[in-house]
Amino acid sequence: MAGRADSTVLAGARVVLPTGTVENGRVIVEGSRIAGSAAQDARTVDLSGHWVVPGFVDMHNHGGGGASFTSGTVDEVLTGIRTHREHGTTTLVASTVTGELDFLAQRAGLLSELVEQGDLAGIHFEGPFISPCRKGAHSEDLLRHPDPAEVRKLMDAARGTAKMVTLATELPGGIASVRLLAEHGVIAAIGHTDATYDQTVEAIDAGATVATHLYNAMPGLNHRVPGPIAALLEDERITVELINDGTHLHPIALELAYHHVGAGRVALITDAMDAAGFGDGRYQLGPLAVEVKDGVARLVEGNSIAGSTLTLDTAFRRAVTIDRIPVDDVVQSISANPARLLGVYDKVGSLDPGKDADLVVLDADFMLKGVMRKGAWIVEPRIG
């Protein structure tokens, strides 16, 4: 790991900007920020034949590097953060899984300190306010209805760092909880839900703005009973999360979502658990045992998919090389859109002057070669 590049020009690469891709472009870094002009003594790094894209923003991530954001110590959480940074995720939200309310409040206190010191971008509570019919890898014994008072307890425990809460909005208290979250600037995400089409529309009208891992942990699309998927796809107020690991979604399902909503309403996420960037073996996801085999995480009891082992550099590469999504659209989905949703687009999510110097260097095959965060190389590119 190298130090900060105080005055550096990254030259010769294809640079993806909000206005499109610039051939033979330049990104100028001064200290921790992207600059509009270069100092005379700036060091030049020749990145010919490479891509430079904004650092990735993951708004749904449970851990990595063998560490859990739900149960790990501070040092373990930092290990998980570092693991994902090495794979290009320069802005990361820590997601929890279902647990006792007091335990989740305690975790929120620990994680909020890491938000306050700049290691995390916020906290996402996935559970316990979800449907037992669509619980996925969440402990059914610990599920509860989304009582606004209990939702507020978690928000308060997070001390202003809560960014998102996933809810089964059809449950008692669901709509009132959506309104509470919206009033306080916290994303209400519809997920792990058994809602009907009409119930989903009601939740969107109440202020929900995100579909938690669209398609997964919700009823399928049916021509007579369209369910939540149709409502979430059709409403322009909704951004849909997609897990592009080749396990959670068939490529045609991902293509359908992109085709219907457009790149501006997609957020590529990992939904990663401890094994991301670490390897196969036995893990815990909250109170549940997970077996990871050949990179696929499943509950030991019941065999349900239990998060992913995905990192966003792999999601990016799959999107471009397998799904044939234009690079500019992938950048929008993996950087700009989640940054906007999290309220941090003024600092990250694009390579505009004045923003943090968070960027990823990819080779012609879209393999990760470099990662910079706030002007410091996390992974320094070895070119030539």
Side-chain angles (χ1 to χ4, degrees):
M1 186 180 297
R4 197 170 76 179
D6 285 318
S7 185
T8 300
V9 178
L10 307 179
R14 291 178 171 179
V15 178
V16 181
L17 301 174
T19 52
T21 298
V22 177
E23 301 285 344
N24 193 26
R26 298 198 315 165
V27 177
I28 302 166
V29 177
E30 289 285 348
S32 64
R33 300 293 181 88
I34 297 171
S37 59
Q40 289 185 346
D41 61 349
R43 182 171 71 100
T44 297
V45 178
D46 184 3
L47 294 178
S48 299
H50 291 71
W51 294 80
V52 176
V53 301
F56 308 145
V57 180
D58 193 353
M59 57 188 282
H60 187 156
N61 187 313
H62 296 279
S68 167
F69 297 151
T70 299
S71 58
T73 65
V74 170
D75 285 344
E76 287 169 342
V77 172
L78 289 171
T79 294
I81 294 168
R82 183 166 58 250
T83 297
H84 284 283
R85 284 182 185 170
E86 290 169 353
H87 289 274
T89 298
T90 51
T91 301
L92 186 148
V93 170
S95 301
T96 61
V97 297
T98 293
E100 293 284 359
L101 206 65
D102 287 343
F103 173 77
L104 291 175
Q106 177 189 15
R107 292 303 298 176
L110 181 149
L111 294 170
S112 67
E113 294 180 6
L114 295 176
V115 178
E116 290 161 1
Q117 67 189 38
D119 293 299
L120 291 169
I123 303 170
H124 163 217
F125 296 102
E126 187 180 22
F129 311 115
I130 61 176
S131 171
C133 301
R134 305 288 173 177
K135 64 183 184 298
H138 292 256
S139 176
E140 186 169 353
D141 293 342
L142 298 174
L143 301 182
R144 54 208 301 138
H145 291 160
D147 180 342
E150 294 186 343
V151 174
R152 183 61 186 262
K153 177 177 179 177
L154 293 185
M155 291 168 54
D156 290 345
R159 303 199 302 263
T161 67
K163 289 291 186 178
M164 184 163 67
V165 178
T166 292
L167 306 160
T169 54
E170 75 277 9
L171 295 175
I175 298 300
S177 294
V178 168
R179 292 195 179 104
L180 172 70
L181 292 166
E183 287 169 2
H184 288 82
V186 179
I187 297 166
I190 300 172
H192 287 275
T193 177
D194 204 40
T196 65
Y197 173 87
D198 290 336
Q199 288 171 328
T200 306
V201 169
E202 182 184 11
I204 297 169
D205 287 340
T209 56
V210 165
T212 293
H213 42 54
L214 185 74
Y215 301 114
N216 299 114
M218 60 183 64
L221 185 64
N222 182 282
H223 61 294
R224 290 194 182 93
V225 186
I229 293 173
L232 295 165
L233 285 173
E234 74 174 357
D235 199 300
E236 294 184 355
R237 293 170 290 183
I238 292 291
T239 297
V240 300
E241 293 183 345
L242 297 175
I243 308 171
N244 192 21
D245 62 351
T247 298
H248 280 78
L249 298 177
H250 190 285
I252 293 300
L254 182 132
E255 180 183 331
L256 172 66
Y258 262 98
H259 176 75
H260 195 82
V261 308
R265 286 179 50 209
V266 172
L268 293 176
I269 62 161
T270 61
D271 193 18
M273 48 82 70
D274 312 17
F278 199 67
D280 290 356
R282 282 284 185 106
Y283 296 86
Q284 287 292 126
L285 189 61
L288 303 178
V290 175
E291 178 79 25
V292 178
K293 184 177 180 181
D294 298 328
V296 178
R298 293 186 179 275
L299 291 182
V300 172
E301 294 188 11
N303 206 39
S304 174
I305 294 176
S308 84
T309 61
L310 184 66
T311 53
L312 281 181
D313 57 330
T314 297
F316 191 111
R317 186 169 60 257
R318 282 186 58 88
V320 175
T321 63
I322 296 174
D323 305 305
R324 302 298 178 184
I325 299 169
V327 174
D328 290 12
D329 288 351
V330 179
V331 167
Q332 192 173 0
S333 302
I334 212 166
S335 298
N337 295 342
R340 287 193 182 96
L341 283 166
L342 297 171
V344 294
Y345 189 66
D346 60 324
K347 298 176 182 177
V348 299
S350 71
L351 298 176
D352 291 314
K355 291 192 176 184
D356 290 348
D358 291 2
L359 56 87
V360 176
V361 179
L362 305 167
D363 68 12
D365 296 319
F366 299 97
M367 298 295 294
L368 184 143
K369 295 298 179 182
V371 181
M372 177 182 284
R373 183 175 187 270
K374 295 185 183 295
W377 289 111
I378 303 296
V379 178
E380 187 163 12
R382 305 295 181 186
I383 307 299

PDB file of all heavy atoms in Angstrom, residues 68-70 72-74 77 81 94-96 104-117 120 122-125 158-159 161:
ATOM      1  N   SER A  68     -17.543  -9.793   9.884  1.00  0.00           N
ATOM      2  CA  SER A  68     -18.960  -9.449   9.798  1.00  0.00           C
ATOM      3  C   SER A  68     -19.204  -8.051  10.352  1.00  0.00           C
ATOM      4  O   SER A  68     -18.724  -7.714  11.436  1.00  0.00           O
ATOM      5  CB  SER A  68     -19.789 -10.455  10.592  1.00  0.00           C
ATOM      6  OG  SER A  68     -21.105  -9.986  10.779  1.00  0.00           O
ATOM      7  N   PHE A  69     -19.984  -7.259   9.616  1.00  0.00           N
ATOM      8  CA  PHE A  69     -20.365  -5.942  10.126  1.00  0.00           C
ATOM      9  C   PHE A  69     -21.434  -6.054  11.217  1.00  0.00           C
ATOM     10  O   PHE A  69     -21.614  -5.134  11.998  1.00  0.00           O
ATOM     11  CB  PHE A  69     -20.868  -5.052   8.996  1.00  0.00           C
ATOM     12  CG  PHE A  69     -19.833  -4.761   7.938  1.00  0.00           C
ATOM     13  CD1 PHE A  69     -20.212  -4.518   6.629  1.00  0.00           C
ATOM     14  CD2 PHE A  69     -18.483  -4.732   8.246  1.00  0.00           C
ATOM     15  CE1 PHE A  69     -19.265  -4.238   5.650  1.00  0.00           C
ATOM     16  CE2 PHE A  69     -17.527  -4.465   7.282  1.00  0.00           C
ATOM     17  CZ  PHE A  69     -17.922  -4.217   5.975  1.00  0.00           C
ATOM     18  N   THR A  70     -22.123  -7.181  11.270  1.00  0.00           N
ATOM     19  CA  THR A  70     -23.170  -7.366  12.275  1.00  0.00           C
ATOM     20  C   THR A  70     -22.611  -7.776  13.625  1.00  0.00           C
ATOM     21  O   THR A  70     -23.171  -7.412  14.657  1.00  0.00           O
ATOM     22  CB  THR A  70     -24.191  -8.416  11.798  1.00  0.00           C
ATOM     23  OG1 THR A  70     -24.811  -7.959  10.598  1.00  0.00           O
ATOM     24  CG2 THR A  70     -25.273  -8.668  12.837  1.00  0.00           C
ATOM     25  N   GLY A  72     -18.796  -8.331  14.224  1.00  0.00           N
ATOM     26  CA  GLY A  72     -17.357  -8.213  14.404  1.00  0.00           C
ATOM     27  C   GLY A  72     -16.943  -7.094  15.335  1.00  0.00           C
ATOM     28  O   GLY A  72     -17.688  -6.140  15.586  1.00  0.00           O
ATOM     29  N   THR A  73     -15.719  -7.201  15.861  1.00  0.00           N
ATOM     30  CA  THR A  73     -15.118  -6.120  16.628  1.00  0.00           C
ATOM     31  C   THR A  73     -14.798  -4.952  15.696  1.00  0.00           C
ATOM     32  O   THR A  73     -14.890  -5.081  14.466  1.00  0.00           O
ATOM     33  CB  THR A  73     -13.826  -6.597  17.293  1.00  0.00           C
ATOM     34  OG1 THR A  73     -12.871  -6.911  16.253  1.00  0.00           O
ATOM     35  CG2 THR A  73     -14.052  -7.828  18.156  1.00  0.00           C
ATOM     36  N   VAL A  74     -14.397  -3.847  16.262  1.00  0.00           N
ATOM     37  CA  VAL A  74     -14.017  -2.700  15.443  1.00  0.00           C
ATOM     38  C   VAL A  74     -12.907  -3.080  14.474  1.00  0.00           C
ATOM     39  O   VAL A  74     -12.964  -2.755  13.278  1.00  0.00           O
ATOM     40  CB  VAL A  74     -13.584  -1.512  16.330  1.00  0.00           C
ATOM     41  CG1 VAL A  74     -12.949  -0.410  15.480  1.00  0.00           C
ATOM     42  CG2 VAL A  74     -14.782  -0.948  17.093  1.00  0.00           C
ATOM     43  N   VAL A  77     -14.326  -5.204  11.687  1.00  0.00           N
ATOM     44  CA  VAL A  77     -15.088  -4.385  10.742  1.00  0.00           C
ATOM     45  C   VAL A  77     -14.132  -3.628   9.818  1.00  0.00           C
ATOM     46  O   VAL A  77     -14.351  -3.554   8.598  1.00  0.00           O
ATOM     47  CB  VAL A  77     -16.024  -3.409  11.479  1.00  0.00           C
ATOM     48  CG1 VAL A  77     -16.667  -2.433  10.500  1.00  0.00           C
ATOM     49  CG2 VAL A  77     -17.111  -4.178  12.232  1.00  0.00           C
ATOM     50  N   ILE A  81     -13.883  -3.616   5.719  1.00  0.00           N
ATOM     51  CA  ILE A  81     -13.857  -2.388   4.914  1.00  0.00           C
ATOM     52  C   ILE A  81     -12.635  -2.391   4.006  1.00  0.00           C
ATOM     53  O   ILE A  81     -12.729  -2.094   2.802  1.00  0.00           O
ATOM     54  CB  ILE A  81     -13.844  -1.154   5.840  1.00  0.00           C
ATOM     55  CG1 ILE A  81     -15.165  -1.047   6.617  1.00  0.00           C
ATOM     56  CG2 ILE A  81     -13.597   0.122   5.030  1.00  0.00           C
ATOM     57  CD1 ILE A  81     -15.122  -0.035   7.748  1.00  0.00           C
ATOM     58  N   ALA A  94     -22.384  -0.098   5.882  1.00  0.00           N
ATOM     59  CA  ALA A  94     -22.408  -1.366   6.614  1.00  0.00           C
ATOM     60  C   ALA A  94     -23.845  -1.796   6.852  1.00  0.00           C
ATOM     61  O   ALA A  94     -24.635  -1.051   7.440  1.00  0.00           O
ATOM     62  CB  ALA A  94     -21.676  -1.226   7.941  1.00  0.00           C
ATOM     63  N   SER A  95     -24.166  -2.998   6.388  1.00  0.00           N
ATOM     64  CA  SER A  95     -25.511  -3.550   6.575  1.00  0.00           C
ATOM     65  C   SER A  95     -25.505  -4.556   7.719  1.00  0.00           C
ATOM     66  O   SER A  95     -24.582  -5.364   7.841  1.00  0.00           O
ATOM     67  CB  SER A  95     -25.981  -4.243   5.290  1.00  0.00           C
ATOM     68  OG  SER A  95     -25.990  -3.348   4.198  1.00  0.00           O
ATOM     69  N   THR A  96     -26.551  -4.515   8.533  1.00  0.00           N
ATOM     70  CA  THR A  96     -26.726  -5.506   9.588  1.00  0.00           C
ATOM     71  C   THR A  96     -27.759  -6.536   9.127  1.00  0.00           C
ATOM     72  O   THR A  96     -28.472  -6.333   8.147  1.00  0.00           O
ATOM     73  CB  THR A  96     -27.204  -4.857  10.889  1.00  0.00           C
ATOM     74  OG1 THR A  96     -28.484  -4.229  10.670  1.00  0.00           O
ATOM     75  CG2 THR A  96     -26.208  -3.800  11.371  1.00  0.00           C
ATOM     76  N   LEU A 104     -29.013  -4.886  18.002  1.00  0.00           N
ATOM     77  CA  LEU A 104     -28.849  -4.048  16.814  1.00  0.00           C
ATOM     78  C   LEU A 104     -28.581  -2.600  17.195  1.00  0.00           C
ATOM     79  O   LEU A 104     -27.793  -1.914  16.536  1.00  0.00           O
ATOM     80  CB  LEU A 104     -30.083  -4.157  15.925  1.00  0.00           C
ATOM     81  CG  LEU A 104     -30.297  -5.512  15.241  1.00  0.00           C
ATOM     82  CD1 LEU A 104     -31.619  -5.522  14.487  1.00  0.00           C
ATOM     83  CD2 LEU A 104     -29.143  -5.831  14.296  1.00  0.00           C
ATOM     84  N   ALA A 105     -29.227  -2.139  18.246  1.00  0.00           N
ATOM     85  CA  ALA A 105     -28.965  -0.773  18.718  1.00  0.00           C
ATOM     86  C   ALA A 105     -27.515  -0.640  19.184  1.00  0.00           C
ATOM     87  O   ALA A 105     -26.856   0.377  18.934  1.00  0.00           O
ATOM     88  CB  ALA A 105     -29.937  -0.422  19.842  1.00  0.00           C
ATOM     89  N   GLN A 106     -27.024  -1.673  19.872  1.00  0.00           N
ATOM     90  CA  GLN A 106     -25.625  -1.658  20.310  1.00  0.00           C
ATOM     91  C   GLN A 106     -24.682  -1.628  19.111  1.00  0.00           C
ATOM     92  O   GLN A 106     -23.704  -0.883  19.093  1.00  0.00           O
ATOM     93  CB  GLN A 106     -25.352  -2.893  21.165  1.00  0.00           C
ATOM     94  CG  GLN A 106     -23.906  -3.016  21.629  1.00  0.00           C
ATOM     95  CD  GLN A 106     -23.642  -4.375  22.276  1.00  0.00           C
ATOM     96  OE1 GLN A 106     -24.429  -5.310  22.135  1.00  0.00           O
ATOM     97  NE2 GLN A 106     -22.530  -4.483  22.976  1.00  0.00           N
ATOM     98  N   ARG A 107     -24.971  -2.474  18.101  1.00  0.00           N
ATOM     99  CA  ARG A 107     -24.135  -2.479  16.889  1.00  0.00           C
ATOM    100  C   ARG A 107     -24.169  -1.126  16.205  1.00  0.00           C
ATOM    101  O   ARG A 107     -23.148  -0.655  15.674  1.00  0.00           O
ATOM    102  CB  ARG A 107     -24.621  -3.554  15.921  1.00  0.00           C
ATOM    103  CG  ARG A 107     -24.415  -4.964  16.381  1.00  0.00           C
ATOM    104  CD  ARG A 107     -22.970  -5.268  16.687  1.00  0.00           C
ATOM    105  NE  ARG A 107     -22.101  -5.146  15.531  1.00  0.00           N
ATOM    106  CZ  ARG A 107     -20.782  -5.292  15.565  1.00  0.00           C
ATOM    107  NH1 ARG A 107     -20.169  -5.546  16.707  1.00  0.00           N
ATOM    108  NH2 ARG A 107     -20.062  -5.184  14.474  1.00  0.00           N
ATOM    109  N   ALA A 108     -25.335  -0.489  16.189  1.00  0.00           N
ATOM    110  CA  ALA A 108     -25.451   0.820  15.564  1.00  0.00           C
ATOM    111  C   ALA A 108     -24.530   1.822  16.243  1.00  0.00           C
ATOM    112  O   ALA A 108     -23.905   2.667  15.580  1.00  0.00           O
ATOM    113  CB  ALA A 108     -26.897   1.313  15.614  1.00  0.00           C
ATOM    114  N   GLY A 109     -24.415   1.728  17.558  1.00  0.00           N
ATOM    115  CA  GLY A 109     -23.512   2.623  18.273  1.00  0.00           C
ATOM    116  C   GLY A 109     -22.073   2.421  17.858  1.00  0.00           C
ATOM    117  O   GLY A 109     -21.328   3.389  17.627  1.00  0.00           O
ATOM    118  N   LEU A 110     -21.649   1.154  17.730  1.00  0.00           N
ATOM    119  CA  LEU A 110     -20.273   0.858  17.309  1.00  0.00           C
ATOM    120  C   LEU A 110     -20.030   1.316  15.872  1.00  0.00           C
ATOM    121  O   LEU A 110     -19.027   1.990  15.581  1.00  0.00           O
ATOM    122  CB  LEU A 110     -20.006  -0.636  17.451  1.00  0.00           C
ATOM    123  CG  LEU A 110     -18.615  -1.157  17.076  1.00  0.00           C
ATOM    124  CD1 LEU A 110     -18.256  -2.364  17.939  1.00  0.00           C
ATOM    125  CD2 LEU A 110     -18.540  -1.563  15.605  1.00  0.00           C
ATOM    126  N   LEU A 111     -20.927   0.959  14.980  1.00  0.00           N
ATOM    127  CA  LEU A 111     -20.732   1.306  13.574  1.00  0.00           C
ATOM    128  C   LEU A 111     -20.810   2.813  13.342  1.00  0.00           C
ATOM    129  O   LEU A 111     -20.111   3.346  12.469  1.00  0.00           O
ATOM    130  CB  LEU A 111     -21.777   0.583  12.715  1.00  0.00           C
ATOM    131  CG  LEU A 111     -21.663  -0.945  12.663  1.00  0.00           C
ATOM    132  CD1 LEU A 111     -22.884  -1.550  11.980  1.00  0.00           C
ATOM    133  CD2 LEU A 111     -20.381  -1.379  11.953  1.00  0.00           C
ATOM    134  N   SER A 112     -21.641   3.498  14.122  1.00  0.00           N
ATOM    135  CA  SER A 112     -21.759   4.949  13.933  1.00  0.00           C
ATOM    136  C   SER A 112     -20.439   5.659  14.212  1.00  0.00           C
ATOM    137  O   SER A 112     -20.136   6.685  13.586  1.00  0.00           O
ATOM    138  CB  SER A 112     -22.867   5.521  14.826  1.00  0.00           C
ATOM    139  OG  SER A 112     -22.532   5.414  16.204  1.00  0.00           O
ATOM    140  N   GLU A 113     -19.637   5.115  15.123  1.00  0.00           N
ATOM    141  CA  GLU A 113     -18.330   5.715  15.392  1.00  0.00           C
ATOM    142  C   GLU A 113     -17.434   5.623  14.158  1.00  0.00           C
ATOM    143  O   GLU A 113     -16.673   6.550  13.851  1.00  0.00           O
ATOM    144  CB  GLU A 113     -17.671   5.035  16.594  1.00  0.00           C
ATOM    145  CG  GLU A 113     -18.402   5.279  17.908  1.00  0.00           C
ATOM    146  CD  GLU A 113     -17.730   4.589  19.077  1.00  0.00           C
ATOM    147  OE1 GLU A 113     -16.626   4.019  18.887  1.00  0.00           O
ATOM    148  OE2 GLU A 113     -18.306   4.617  20.187  1.00  0.00           O
ATOM    149  N   LEU A 114     -17.539   4.504  13.425  1.00  0.00           N
ATOM    150  CA  LEU A 114     -16.746   4.349  12.209  1.00  0.00           C
ATOM    151  C   LEU A 114     -17.258   5.248  11.092  1.00  0.00           C
ATOM    152  O   LEU A 114     -16.486   5.671  10.231  1.00  0.00           O
ATOM    153  CB  LEU A 114     -16.755   2.883  11.772  1.00  0.00           C
ATOM    154  CG  LEU A 114     -16.073   1.911  12.746  1.00  0.00           C
ATOM    155  CD1 LEU A 114     -16.222   0.473  12.274  1.00  0.00           C
ATOM    156  CD2 LEU A 114     -14.598   2.264  12.910  1.00  0.00           C
ATOM    157  N   VAL A 115     -18.548   5.533  11.107  1.00  0.00           N
ATOM    158  CA  VAL A 115     -19.079   6.519  10.156  1.00  0.00           C
ATOM    159  C   VAL A 115     -18.528   7.899  10.489  1.00  0.00           C
ATOM    160  O   VAL A 115     -18.057   8.639   9.612  1.00  0.00           O
ATOM    161  CB  VAL A 115     -20.622   6.543  10.180  1.00  0.00           C
ATOM    162  CG1 VAL A 115     -21.146   7.604   9.217  1.00  0.00           C
ATOM    163  CG2 VAL A 115     -21.199   5.180   9.813  1.00  0.00           C
ATOM    164  N   GLU A 116     -18.563   8.231  11.756  1.00  0.00           N
ATOM    165  CA  GLU A 116     -18.123   9.562  12.190  1.00  0.00           C
ATOM    166  C   GLU A 116     -16.646   9.801  11.905  1.00  0.00           C
ATOM    167  O   GLU A 116     -16.231  10.933  11.645  1.00  0.00           O
ATOM    168  CB  GLU A 116     -18.433   9.738  13.676  1.00  0.00           C
ATOM    169  CG  GLU A 116     -19.934   9.861  13.950  1.00  0.00           C
ATOM    170  CD  GLU A 116     -20.311   9.580  15.401  1.00  0.00           C
ATOM    171  OE1 GLU A 116     -19.390   9.295  16.215  1.00  0.00           O
ATOM    172  OE2 GLU A 116     -21.512   9.619  15.719  1.00  0.00           O
ATOM    173  N   GLN A 117     -15.843   8.741  11.903  1.00  0.00           N
ATOM    174  CA  GLN A 117     -14.419   8.932  11.613  1.00  0.00           C
ATOM    175  C   GLN A 117     -14.089   8.708  10.135  1.00  0.00           C
ATOM    176  O   GLN A 117     -12.918   8.749   9.739  1.00  0.00           O
ATOM    177  CB  GLN A 117     -13.558   8.042  12.500  1.00  0.00           C
ATOM    178  CG  GLN A 117     -13.673   6.558  12.264  1.00  0.00           C
ATOM    179  CD  GLN A 117     -12.941   5.750  13.343  1.00  0.00           C
ATOM    180  OE1 GLN A 117     -12.939   6.100  14.531  1.00  0.00           O
ATOM    181  NE2 GLN A 117     -12.289   4.673  12.933  1.00  0.00           N
ATOM    182  N   LEU A 120     -16.832   4.483   7.210  1.00  0.00           N
ATOM    183  CA  LEU A 120     -18.077   4.025   6.603  1.00  0.00           C
ATOM    184  C   LEU A 120     -18.906   5.233   6.173  1.00  0.00           C
ATOM    185  O   LEU A 120     -18.744   6.333   6.707  1.00  0.00           O
ATOM    186  CB  LEU A 120     -18.893   3.198   7.595  1.00  0.00           C
ATOM    187  CG  LEU A 120     -18.353   1.815   7.999  1.00  0.00           C
ATOM    188  CD1 LEU A 120     -19.140   1.267   9.180  1.00  0.00           C
ATOM    189  CD2 LEU A 120     -18.396   0.859   6.820  1.00  0.00           C
ATOM    190  N   GLY A 122     -22.309   5.036   6.278  1.00  0.00           N
ATOM    191  CA  GLY A 122     -23.587   4.957   6.963  1.00  0.00           C
ATOM    192  C   GLY A 122     -23.919   3.529   7.334  1.00  0.00           C
ATOM    193  O   GLY A 122     -23.125   2.608   7.139  1.00  0.00           O
ATOM    194  N   ILE A 123     -25.130   3.354   7.883  1.00  0.00           N
ATOM    195  CA  ILE A 123     -25.614   2.058   8.346  1.00  0.00           C
ATOM    196  C   ILE A 123     -26.916   1.727   7.640  1.00  0.00           C
ATOM    197  O   ILE A 123     -27.783   2.589   7.464  1.00  0.00           O
ATOM    198  CB  ILE A 123     -25.830   2.065   9.875  1.00  0.00           C
ATOM    199  CG1 ILE A 123     -24.542   2.437  10.612  1.00  0.00           C
ATOM    200  CG2 ILE A 123     -26.343   0.710  10.364  1.00  0.00           C
ATOM    201  CD1 ILE A 123     -24.748   2.697  12.099  1.00  0.00           C
ATOM    202  N   HIS A 124     -27.047   0.472   7.256  1.00  0.00           N
ATOM    203  CA  HIS A 124     -28.275  -0.057   6.660  1.00  0.00           C
ATOM    204  C   HIS A 124     -28.778  -1.190   7.549  1.00  0.00           C
ATOM    205  O   HIS A 124     -28.061  -2.156   7.793  1.00  0.00           O
ATOM    206  CB  HIS A 124     -27.970  -0.574   5.241  1.00  0.00           C
ATOM    207  CG  HIS A 124     -29.028  -1.481   4.684  1.00  0.00           C
ATOM    208  ND1 HIS A 124     -28.717  -2.579   3.895  1.00  0.00           N
ATOM    209  CD2 HIS A 124     -30.382  -1.468   4.771  1.00  0.00           C
ATOM    210  CE1 HIS A 124     -29.826  -3.185   3.534  1.00  0.00           C
ATOM    211  NE2 HIS A 124     -30.846  -2.545   4.056  1.00  0.00           N
ATOM    212  N   PHE A 125     -30.015  -1.057   8.026  1.00  0.00           N
ATOM    213  CA  PHE A 125     -30.636  -2.104   8.822  1.00  0.00           C
ATOM    214  C   PHE A 125     -31.484  -2.973   7.900  1.00  0.00           C
ATOM    215  O   PHE A 125     -32.526  -2.547   7.415  1.00  0.00           O
ATOM    216  CB  PHE A 125     -31.513  -1.506   9.931  1.00  0.00           C
ATOM    217  CG  PHE A 125     -30.756  -0.714  10.949  1.00  0.00           C
ATOM    218  CD1 PHE A 125     -30.758   0.682  10.913  1.00  0.00           C
ATOM    219  CD2 PHE A 125     -30.035  -1.338  11.953  1.00  0.00           C
ATOM    220  CE1 PHE A 125     -30.068   1.430  11.850  1.00  0.00           C
ATOM    221  CE2 PHE A 125     -29.340  -0.599  12.898  1.00  0.00           C
ATOM    222  CZ  PHE A 125     -29.344   0.779  12.850  1.00  0.00           C
ATOM    223  N   ALA A 158     -28.267   4.966  15.995  1.00  0.00           N
ATOM    224  CA  ALA A 158     -27.283   5.232  14.948  1.00  0.00           C
ATOM    225  C   ALA A 158     -26.793   6.680  14.944  1.00  0.00           C
ATOM    226  O   ALA A 158     -25.888   7.027  14.183  1.00  0.00           O
ATOM    227  CB  ALA A 158     -27.867   4.886  13.583  1.00  0.00           C
ATOM    228  N   ARG A 159     -27.387   7.528  15.764  1.00  0.00           N
ATOM    229  CA  ARG A 159     -26.928   8.914  15.951  1.00  0.00           C
ATOM    230  C   ARG A 159     -26.774   9.669  14.621  1.00  0.00           C
ATOM    231  O   ARG A 159     -25.761  10.325  14.364  1.00  0.00           O
ATOM    232  CB  ARG A 159     -25.596   8.944  16.708  1.00  0.00           C
ATOM    233  CG  ARG A 159     -25.633   8.269  18.059  1.00  0.00           C
ATOM    234  CD  ARG A 159     -24.481   8.721  18.946  1.00  0.00           C
ATOM    235  NE  ARG A 159     -23.185   8.467  18.373  1.00  0.00           N
ATOM    236  CZ  ARG A 159     -22.432   7.407  18.653  1.00  0.00           C
ATOM    237  NH1 ARG A 159     -22.879   6.486  19.479  1.00  0.00           N
ATOM    238  NH2 ARG A 159     -21.238   7.264  18.112  1.00  0.00           N
ATOM    239  N   THR A 161     -26.527   8.406  11.615  1.00  0.00           N
ATOM    240  CA  THR A 161     -25.752   7.728  10.568  1.00  0.00           C
ATOM    241  C   THR A 161     -26.553   6.654   9.836  1.00  0.00           C
ATOM    242  O   THR A 161     -26.034   6.016   8.926  1.00  0.00           O
ATOM    243  CB  THR A 161     -24.476   7.088  11.149  1.00  0.00           C
ATOM    244  OG1 THR A 161     -24.842   6.022  12.030  1.00  0.00           O
ATOM    245  CG2 THR A 161     -23.636   8.122  11.895  1.00  0.00           C
TER     246      THR A 161
END
